[in-house]
């Protein structure tokens, strides 16, 4: 991307430039700018996308409600299933595709651990563009369903961002997977009575609203993915007080040499008899 300095000639102010691989492996550029961009910047963006040098670009100017887009500015990474995974422009992506795959595969394993002999209703909150969804919507692996009983009855994903939800639908459709994608605030979504398992991967602020809804629900298993131990501890206190027990707590190192870490927690609801005896 040696052309980036030329792109910003004549600009005033400051900003951030994010570069990723997009459609066909060509670059996509996300420019968040606080200040003014020169006319030549807009002309170069248009030309590079029109000529096919870049797959797309998006410019978000401070004070402007809607970013300007050129071509298809959405990044494409390798999903946990080995197929291309489309992300929303400017959306969240893990720093390591390999690490993200390890995380997604482990979440999938924990969802189907000790699954009962009936089809499960699965709900995913804060689904994003589908990093976890493309595995969850498949149902159990062959090993999980070796007895022929474990299966998926329904899959519903909740995501507040309309662009991310659109990517999620495309990612599921590209794999021939079924599932319902709902654009809504996952932290204010009631848990339907029939839901058996809930997976949630909230932002750093955690999911206090979702935790309260889960605590009041009849969900049998909760798999919580967190990038912030402080808000995770807050939410786990509410979940465990409701009768959910922590069965697994695991860390996945996606941010080497930093204080940040991804944590996966699996909780299972205590049987009524066990709860009464405790």
């Amino acid at each position: 991307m040696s052309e980036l300095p030329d792109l910003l000639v004549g600009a005033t102010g400051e900003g951030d430039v994010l570069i990723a691989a997009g459609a066909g492996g060509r670059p996509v550029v996300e420019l968040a700018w606080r200040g003014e961009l020169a006319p030549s910047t807009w002309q170069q963006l248009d030309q590079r996308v029109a000529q096919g040098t870049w797959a797309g670009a998006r410019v978000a100017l401070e004070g402007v409600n809607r970013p300007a887009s050129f071509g298809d500015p959405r990044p494409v990474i390798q999903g946990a299933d080995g197929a291309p995974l489309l992300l929303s422009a400017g959306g969240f992506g893990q720093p390591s595709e390999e690490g993200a795959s390890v995380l997604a595969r482990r979440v999938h394993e924990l969802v189907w651990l000790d699954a009962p002999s009936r089809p499960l209703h699965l709900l995913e909150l804060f689904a994003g563009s589908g990093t976890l969804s493309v595995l969850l919507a498949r149902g159990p692996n062959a090993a999980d369903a070796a007895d022929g009983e474990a299966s998926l009855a329904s899959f519903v994903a909740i995501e507040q961002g309309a662009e991310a939800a659109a990517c999620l639908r495309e990612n599921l459709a590209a794999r021939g997977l079924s599932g319902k994608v709902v654009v809504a605030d996952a932290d204010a979504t009631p848990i339907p009575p029939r839901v058996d398992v809930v997976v949630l991967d909230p932002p750093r602020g955690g999911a206090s609203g979702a935790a309260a809804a889960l605590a009041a629900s009849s969900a049998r298993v909760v798999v919580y993915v967190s990038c912030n131990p402080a808000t995770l501890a807050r939410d786990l206190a509410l979940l465990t007080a409701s009768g959910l027990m922590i069965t697994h707590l695991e860390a996945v190192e996606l941010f080497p040499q930093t204080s940040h870490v991804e944590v996966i927690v699996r909780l299972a609801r205590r049987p009524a008899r066990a709860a009464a005896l405790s």
Side-chain angles (χ1 to χ4, degrees):
M1 298 298 290
S2 58
E3 62 267 39
L4 280 180
D6 292 337
L7 181 69
L8 295 173
V9 169
T12 59
E14 60 180 7
D16 301 296
V17 180
L18 302 177
I19 305 169
R26 294 170 296 157
V28 292
V29 175
E30 177 84 11
L31 177 60
W33 199 257
R34 299 172 293 278
E36 298 290 333
L37 294 173
S40 60
T41 298
W42 301 101
Q43 183 180 21
Q44 289 182 66
L45 289 170
D46 191 33
Q47 288 177 345
R48 285 168 184 160
V49 173
Q51 294 168 358
T53 307
W54 294 357
R58 195 172 81 151
V59 180
L61 292 177
E62 186 177 46
V64 177
N65 292 332
R66 186 172 182 178
S69 292
F70 301 82
D72 187 350
R74 298 174 298 178
V76 179
I77 64 172
Q78 179 175 295
D81 57 355
L85 184 80
L86 187 65
L87 303 179
S88 61
F92 173 77
Q94 295 287 5
S96 163
E97 291 182 14
E98 183 178 356
S101 294
V102 169
L103 179 71
R105 287 194 293 266
R106 185 54 178 156
V107 167
H108 185 263
E109 290 170 354
L110 292 174
V111 163
W112 290 100
L113 183 68
D114 299 328
S117 57
R118 60 179 175 78
L120 296 184
H121 295 278
L122 175 57
L123 173 67
E124 182 184 5
L125 304 176
F126 309 95
S129 297
T131 306
L132 303 178
S133 314
V134 295
L135 292 186
L136 298 175
R138 293 177 183 272
N141 293 324
D144 300 322
D147 58 5
E149 295 179 335
S151 63
L152 182 65
S154 67
F155 172 71
V156 177
I158 309 294
E159 168 54 41
Q160 186 170 18
E163 292 183 6
C167 289
L168 172 51
R169 292 190 184 98
E170 288 190 43
N171 287 324
L172 293 178
R175 292 161 169 80
L177 298 173
S178 60
K180 183 178 181 181
V181 179
V182 179
V183 178
D185 182 358
D187 207 32
T189 297
I191 309 300
R194 73 173 185 172
V195 167
D196 299 292
V197 181
V198 178
V199 175
L200 64 158
D201 184 4
R204 290 188 59 80
S208 56
L214 285 166
S217 77
S218 57
R220 184 183 65 85
V221 170
V222 174
V223 180
Y224 191 137
V225 181
S226 171
C227 62
N228 186 343
T231 55
L232 173 63
R234 178 200 67 200
D235 295 343
L236 287 180
L238 184 57
L239 293 173
T240 54
S242 74
L244 285 160
M245 297 187 302
I246 296 174
T247 64
H248 294 71
L249 194 156
E250 303 171 2
V252 180
E253 179 58 275
L254 292 179
F255 313 96
Q257 301 178 16
T258 75
S259 60
H260 302 289
V261 66
E262 291 280 348
V263 178
I264 309 172
V265 183
R266 179 184 184 272
L267 303 99
R269 196 167 296 282
R270 290 180 291 179
R273 182 181 179 186
L277 294 175
S278 61

